[in-house]
Amino acid sequence: MAADNVVPFKAMTARLCILGCDNFHQEVCAAIAAEAWPDVAAAAFPARCGCPPLTWDDLRSLLTEGCSQLVVLGSACVAGFGEPPAGFPTTRIVKFEQCFHQVADRQLVDTAIAAGCYLATPSWLANWRKQIREMGFAAEDAGEFFHDVAKELVVLDTGISPEVGKYLAELSEELKFPVRLVPTGLDHTRLLLTKLVLEWRLDQARQASAEHDRKHANELADHIAAMDILMRLARTQHEADAIASIEDLFRMLFAPAALHYLRVENEIPMSRDPIPSEMRDVMRGLHEDYAWTPDGNGFLLRIRRGEELLGLVAVDQLAFPAYRERYLNLALTVTGVCGLAIENARNRQKLLEAEKMASLDILVAGVAHEINTPLGVGLAAASALQEQSKQLTDGFSAHTMTQSDLQNYLQTAASSGDLIRRNLERIGHLIEAFRQIAVDGKPLATEPFYLRDCIDDVILSLGDRLPAERIAVNIECDPALTIVGTPGDWVSIFVNLIVNSLKHGFKGRTQACIDISVNADGK
């Protein structure tokens, strides 16, 4: 047979591997080549007809990587095979009543054998001298053997060798034995192999479909779990709540007997709850994204965002350790969500602290403005009283002080003292209100107040930040409009709105306008 008709077993990545007797191997290869099956390969085992019996070790040497199913064709040579040993792919033994049923119609083969014919294939015929020697005969003695066991030698010509006639003539002359050529072609072998290949492909398709369904179901379940985690973690606003949600979800998903979380900030581990010292040391020594726990019944994870390490998790003593790799893959899928939740909580806390500091800055500025007015009035009154006291003292020393001067001084001292007292009291109230908000965090008591006065105070408190020549402020608010609330809260609202306009709305502009319109609507 021509070399290009041989399908080498290791020349392709085989999926279906067909092993058969060497006497029929060329027919199998020719049928595979004729059908152009790229996923089918063939190899041959020795043609010894069960003497000695064929073993699994004989077949093992013919296996190669990529064989998903093995088909062994034979008759007496495969009679002793049981279940394949470990390491073999899925194996199917196809046993024929007669070996020649692989290359010719059953009726033709059975009729020829019943008529006393000795059957052979072109492969056998091409090496007939070697075949006779392996049977234990010399060429000059073989004719007597064939005369004793058969009436004639019939070669089933499958068309794989153009020299079959020459070999047949040589054998007939040497053995002095009648021979006959029966054309059969490859159709029978092609039909046989086509059936085997189609059955294998159908089985592969069923397995692939089942595997696809299984993977799809698993992926769907994992995605649902991941989305549930995302939704739960997305609602958390504080890091402690995010950590608690992560712990609850890990317990729900993996049912560990032990779960530990080690918070990390600025590369410093900080545990909220007691962690066994051995486990804490293992967690702190984790430098990869994951690792198995020392006993192998759990895993360790790093929760991070980018290069920043946010936390360490130990999921130990799994209820079903056989699924630990699947659990680990699911955990690795959600660590990104966990890291995002922790990062968002920390960023929110930083923003709250920044906003608090900004609010305190605004509050301090407002309080300073409020204090400046009574302080200025008090200082003016004290300065006037000091000046009049000096004049009265000078008049008394020069004996020029009159009774009216003393009376005027006493009146001025009384009014100035009252003015200084009232303004000091006002300053004291402002400082107490500031302390309640900034230090104690207590809300101020509600009270009725004029909203227009509140807005005017805000405008005045911003002072030079609202230069009239550059920024016009138009206020439409009924001066008699009274609401019940905390004036300081409304001050903060208007300060933030106006400051945001100054910082963002008017950036890079030389002229701007702020319109504030307040209307009563029902309640």
Side-chain angles (χ1 to χ4, degrees):
M1 177 178 180
D4 57 356
N5 288 331
V6 178
V7 182
F9 192 79
K10 297 185 179 181
M12 62 173 62
T13 302
R15 297 189 63 192
L16 177 63
C17 306
I18 300 177
L19 303 185
C21 171
D22 188 57
N23 286 339
F24 303 95
H25 178 60
Q26 292 189 28
E27 281 76 15
V28 171
C29 290
I32 293 174
E35 296 294 339
W37 292 320
D39 52 354
V40 181
F45 50 78
R48 56 192 188 217
C49 299
C51 298
L54 197 64
T55 67
W56 288 109
D57 287 336
D58 294 328
L59 303 185
R60 189 187 300 275
S61 61
L62 303 176
L63 296 178
T64 189
E65 185 179 358
C67 179
S68 62
Q69 187 177 96
L70 175 65
V71 173
V72 183
L73 307 176
S75 181
C77 55
V78 298
F81 280 126
E83 291 296 322
F88 266 73
T90 302
T91 301
R92 179 181 179 183
I93 305 295
V94 180
K95 185 181 178 182
F96 300 95
E97 184 178 349
Q98 296 291 340
C99 292
F100 296 94
H101 290 162
Q102 300 178 55
V103 294
D105 180 73
R106 173 185 289 270
Q107 184 177 359
L108 185 153
V109 171
D110 294 348
T111 300
I113 292 176
C117 298
Y118 188 95
L119 301 182
T121 64
S123 297
W124 185 95
L125 183 62
N127 298 286
W128 66 269
R129 288 186 174 84
K130 177 184 175 184
Q131 300 286 1
I132 290 175
R133 286 196 303 271
E134 290 180 353
M135 293 169 65
F137 299 100
E140 58 272 15
D141 300 328
E144 184 178 351
F145 164 76
F146 280 100
H147 279 286
D148 290 342
V149 300
K151 293 181 179 179
E152 65 176 337
L153 186 144
V154 175
V155 176
L156 303 176
D157 186 10
T158 57
I160 64 171
S161 174
E163 298 183 356
V164 65
K166 183 186 76 169
Y167 297 138
L168 190 63
E170 292 176 353
L171 182 145
S172 176
E173 183 174 349
E174 182 75 24
L175 300 184
K176 307 298 188 220
F177 188 71
V179 296
R180 180 162 53 100
L181 196 64
V182 178
T184 59
L186 277 174
D187 289 346
H188 184 84
T189 303
R190 291 175 66 176
L191 286 174
L192 170 67
L193 296 184
T194 297
K195 178 176 181 295
L196 294 175
V197 171
L198 290 177
E199 289 174 347
W200 165 72
R201 286 183 175 169
L202 178 61
D203 183 61
Q204 290 290 311
R206 288 172 177 169
Q207 291 182 23
S209 177
E211 180 65 15
H212 177 270
D213 292 343
R214 185 188 67 81
K215 287 185 177 180
H216 178 72
N218 290 339
E219 290 174 358
L220 182 61
D222 291 346
H223 290 165
I224 292 174
M227 289 302 298
D228 182 60
I229 290 171
L230 179 62
M231 295 300 294
R232 291 185 58 178
L233 290 179
R235 290 193 293 268
T236 59
Q237 298 183 353
H238 303 286
E239 184 174 1
D241 295 337
I243 293 173
S245 295
I246 292 171
E247 291 176 340
D248 290 343
L249 288 167
F250 274 39
R251 289 190 179 95
M252 178 188 69
L253 291 172
F254 311 124
L259 178 67
H260 307 291
Y261 188 95
L262 194 59
R263 183 176 178 271
V264 179
E265 188 169 7
N266 298 324
E267 300 184 358
I268 301 176
M270 297 170 284
S271 58
R272 302 181 309 152
D273 302 316
I275 300 177
S277 58
E278 293 183 1
M279 181 59 72
R280 184 174 61 251
D281 293 341
V282 172
M283 294 173 70
R284 288 179 173 175
L286 180 64
H287 300 295
E288 303 294 333
D289 285 343
Y290 67 90
W292 301 115
T293 53
D295 61 4
N297 290 330
F299 51 85
L300 308 172
L301 293 173
R302 285 159 51 99
I303 294 180
R304 56 184 179 84
R305 284 290 293 172
E307 298 300 322
E308 183 182 5
L309 181 61
L310 304 175
L312 299 165
V313 182
V315 181
D316 199 15
Q317 301 175 36
L318 295 169
F320 303 99
Y323 300 114
R324 66 172 195 167
E325 292 188 1
R326 179 180 175 186
Y327 290 161
L328 175 61
N329 289 332
L330 177 57
L332 289 172
T333 301
V334 302
T335 51
V337 179
C338 298
L340 179 62
I342 297 294
E343 182 185 54
N344 287 343
R346 291 188 182 181
N347 288 339
R348 183 178 183 278
Q349 182 62 30
K350 292 176 182 178
L351 287 175
L352 290 175
E353 292 175 356
E355 290 177 0
K356 181 178 179 181
M357 293 304 299
S359 299
L360 285 177
D361 289 344
I362 295 172
L363 185 59
V364 168
V367 171
H369 170 75
E370 293 293 332
I371 289 176
N372 280 337
T373 301
L375 184 60
V377 173
L379 287 173
S383 296
L385 182 59
Q386 184 180 23
E387 180 63 27
Q388 291 200 12
S389 297
K390 183 179 180 302
Q391 293 176 2
L392 185 65
T393 300
D394 292 342
F396 179 78
S397 299
H399 301 288
T400 60
M401 183 184 70
T402 64
Q403 185 175 359
S404 62
D405 292 336
L406 180 60
Q407 289 178 345
N408 290 335
Y409 174 78
L410 292 176
Q411 290 176 358
T412 300
S415 60
S416 297
D418 182 63
L419 187 61
I420 292 172
R421 178 186 60 78
R422 285 189 289 106
N423 279 279
L424 288 176
E425 288 177 350
R426 185 179 177 189
I427 291 172
H429 289 315
L430 290 171
I431 292 175
E432 177 61 22
F434 175 76
R435 187 190 65 79
Q436 289 183 16
I437 296 175
V439 180
D440 297 341
K442 296 179 180 179
L444 296 176
T446 58
E447 58 180 294
F449 65 95
Y450 294 110
L451 189 58
R452 175 59 186 262
D453 291 345
C454 176
I455 298 173
D456 290 338
D457 289 342
V458 169
I459 302 301
L460 291 173
S461 69
L462 292 174
D464 294 340
R465 300 186 70 177
L466 283 172
E469 67 276 8
R470 191 172 69 86
I471 300 175
V473 181
N474 303 319
I475 303 174
E476 294 183 7
C477 180
D478 185 358
L481 179 61
T482 303
I483 62 175
V484 177
T486 304
D489 290 344
W490 287 87
V491 167
S492 297
I493 291 172
F494 285 112
V495 167
N496 281 323
L497 289 172
I498 295 174
V499 169
N500 282 339
S501 298
L502 296 176
K503 290 174 62 177
H504 306 294
F506 302 151
K507 187 175 182 180
R509 298 175 60 177
T510 58
Q511 296 295 322
C513 178
I514 296 176
D515 293 324
I516 302 175
S517 177
V518 181
N519 297 290
D521 184 6
K523 296 184 179 181

